[in-house]
Amino acid sequence: MKRSLSGIKPTGNLTLGNYIGALRNFKNYQDDYENFIFVADLHALTLPIDPTFLRSNTKDIVAFYLAAGLDKDKTTIFLQSDVSAHSELNSILINYLYMGELSRMTQFKDKSSKLNHEAIGVGLFAYPVLMCCDILLYNADVVPVGEDQKQHVELARDLVHRFNTRYNKEIFVMPEAISPKVGARIMSLSDPTRKMSKSDPRGDIFLKDEPNIIRKKIMSAVTDTDTDIYYDPEHKPGISNLLQIYSALSDIDIKEAEMRFKDMHQYGEFKKIVAETVLKEIVPFQERYKSFLNNETINDVLNTGKYRASKIANKTLTKVKKTVGLYVHE
Ligand code: AQP
């Protein structure tokens, strides 16, 4: 059976972007793939974060995974920090990637551009190395991600090629990023030229927002002064973003969504329909999330996941150690 792996960093409150681009799709892999979904908590340390928030957000994400339809008997749900092989493989593979490659990563450039040069953490720079380890430890065939993470999966592909070629053995499986056809890049509602992002929450819809707040945010989403509703991200980024949200949550393509609104010519009416579509999906999701958010459920899921993930990850780690010449003894 092929393997699928994905995760979310607990860096901030999860957004509708995380939901549409990633979370909502995770369950689609649990029947046909050996599915691994983790909370990338070590990645959350790459920028300063409040420890109490990190802990509670980590639990939230596990409850979100369950609310999104992940079943612990079908999907291995685990914490990155629970499987020490991630950090150990990181110490090895960091030597197989280049400064030039890491400096070209768009996410690093974006995030570091907001910091004083002297204060850019090494972890932020090296974050894609750890992400390569996350993927390669499980020999994932597919990695379901939103648009912004594709470049990191590409880096993992380069690393697989480099490593396997150097040792002339197929140690790692070549992973492939897969993104939803619609909704792989949901934009901020206050500035639709910017990605909706949990660590830069201007114009975000949060998965824990109250329904009236969600409605308000959508009704005041920035659009243009026209009245026609069609998809044109360059000239109508706000309307295109709302169309994207609508079509992703209605499971239809953009063309069909455009058809539904072609005679409407009223942004207010359109926004109301988008808001109701979001609420129809998010309100029951929030109810399920609340029902899973208790220590007993979370710890049970994570204990099972830790055991299953560690077994597979340790096997890969041993293989890599032997390959590079580290002395492995029983
Ligand atoms: N706006 C988005 N539209 C579609 N997909 C998105 N994802 C993130 N934002 C959007 C996808 O969500 C998954 C989890 O993301 P992550 O935790 O690895 O962090 P990220 O990609 O860096 O997302 P954020 O929300 O912008 O986090 P911060 O602010 O911490 O950097 C990924 O599959 C991502 O593509």
Side-chain angles (χ1 to χ4, degrees), residues 165-176:
T165 306
R166 164 110 50 115
Y167 297 103
N168 200 20
K169 273 191 222 163
E170 209 186 314
I171 304 296
F172 295 125
V173 167
M174 187 62 81
E176 189 192 346

Side-chain angles (χ1 to χ4, degrees), residues 9 11 107 111 146 148-149 186 195-199:
K9 293 181 286 189
T11 36
Q107 209 174 71
K111 291 192 191 251
D148 62 325
Q149 288 294 344
I186 300 296
K195 191 191 84 152
M196 189 181 282
S197 171
K198 57 178 133 60
S199 62

Side-chain angles (χ1 to χ4, degrees), residues 96-329:
Y96 294 77
L97 284 160
Y98 306 130
M99 301 279 286
E101 286 172 316
L102 296 181
S103 341
R104 282 193 293 276
M105 292 295 115
T106 312
Q107 209 174 71
F108 171 70
K109 287 197 276 189
D110 283 352
K111 291 192 191 251
S112 60
S113 69
K114 294 174 195 143
L115 299 168
N116 165 352
H117 182 75
E118 289 298 313
I120 300 171
V122 176
L124 183 66
F125 180 69
Y127 149 69
V129 184
L130 184 55
M131 180 162 160
C132 288
C133 300
D134 301 336
I135 298 169
L136 303 187
L137 271 178
Y138 301 91
N139 279 310
D141 298 276
V142 296
V143 185
V145 283
E147 194 67 40
D148 62 325
Q149 288 294 344
K150 278 185 162 177
Q151 194 185 29
H152 294 147
V153 181
E154 277 306 312
L155 184 72
R157 289 174 63 84
D158 291 343
L159 178 59
V160 167
H161 180 70
R162 187 171 303 154
F163 197 90
N164 288 353
T165 306
R166 164 110 50 115
Y167 297 103
N168 200 20
K169 273 191 222 163
E170 209 186 314
I171 304 296
F172 295 125
V173 167
M174 187 62 81
E176 189 192 346
I178 37 180
S179 297
K181 281 199 194 85
V182 191
R185 190 171 173 81
I186 300 296
M187 310 306 275
S188 154
L189 296 185
S190 59
D191 175 2
T193 59
R194 233 174 29 83
K195 191 191 84 152
M196 189 181 282
S197 171
K198 57 178 133 60
S199 62
D200 187 1
R202 289 168 292 154
D204 282 9
I205 290 180
F206 298 113
L207 296 182
K208 292 202 305 186
D209 276 346
E210 293 290 333
N212 60 329
I213 301 286
I214 295 181
R215 196 175 284 116
K216 227 189 216 159
K217 285 182 176 176
I218 295 177
M219 292 311 292
S220 51
V222 167
T223 51
D224 49 68
T225 51
D226 193 9
T227 55
D228 294 333
I229 299 164
Y230 60 91
Y231 189 73
D232 180 351
E234 196 185 332
H235 300 105
K236 296 171 78 68
I239 288 295
S240 302
N241 190 35
L242 294 175
L243 266 174
Q244 201 185 184
I245 293 171
Y246 174 83
S247 39
L249 296 180
S250 308
D251 293 313
I252 57 172
D253 60 27
I254 292 278
K255 281 268 157 272
E256 191 177 339
E258 280 181 320
M259 284 298 290
R260 290 188 188 179
F261 297 107
K262 78 177 174 18
D263 298 322
M264 186 167 265
H265 307 295
Q266 280 181 38
Y267 285 176
E269 279 307 299
F270 169 57
K271 284 177 173 177
K272 258 189 216 160
I273 295 177
V274 175
E276 291 318 310
T277 306
V278 171
L279 292 175
K280 198 171 144 209
E281 174 122 354
I282 295 302
V283 171
F285 171 79
Q286 290 179 337
E287 293 301 320
R288 291 195 297 274
Y289 149 79
K290 283 179 199 152
S291 74
F292 290 122
L293 191 63
N294 61 77
N295 285 349
E296 204 184 324
T297 306
I298 304 285
N299 293 348
D300 176 47
V301 167
L302 292 180
N303 287 336
T304 307
K306 176 180 178 176
Y307 175 77
R308 291 207 299 245
S310 300
K311 226 167 141 181
I312 291 166
N314 288 337
K315 217 165 143 189
T316 309
L317 180 65
T318 302
K319 198 164 152 190
V320 173
K321 280 179 159 178
K322 286 181 179 165
T323 302
V324 301
L326 296 177
Y327 184 66
V328 177
H329 51 97

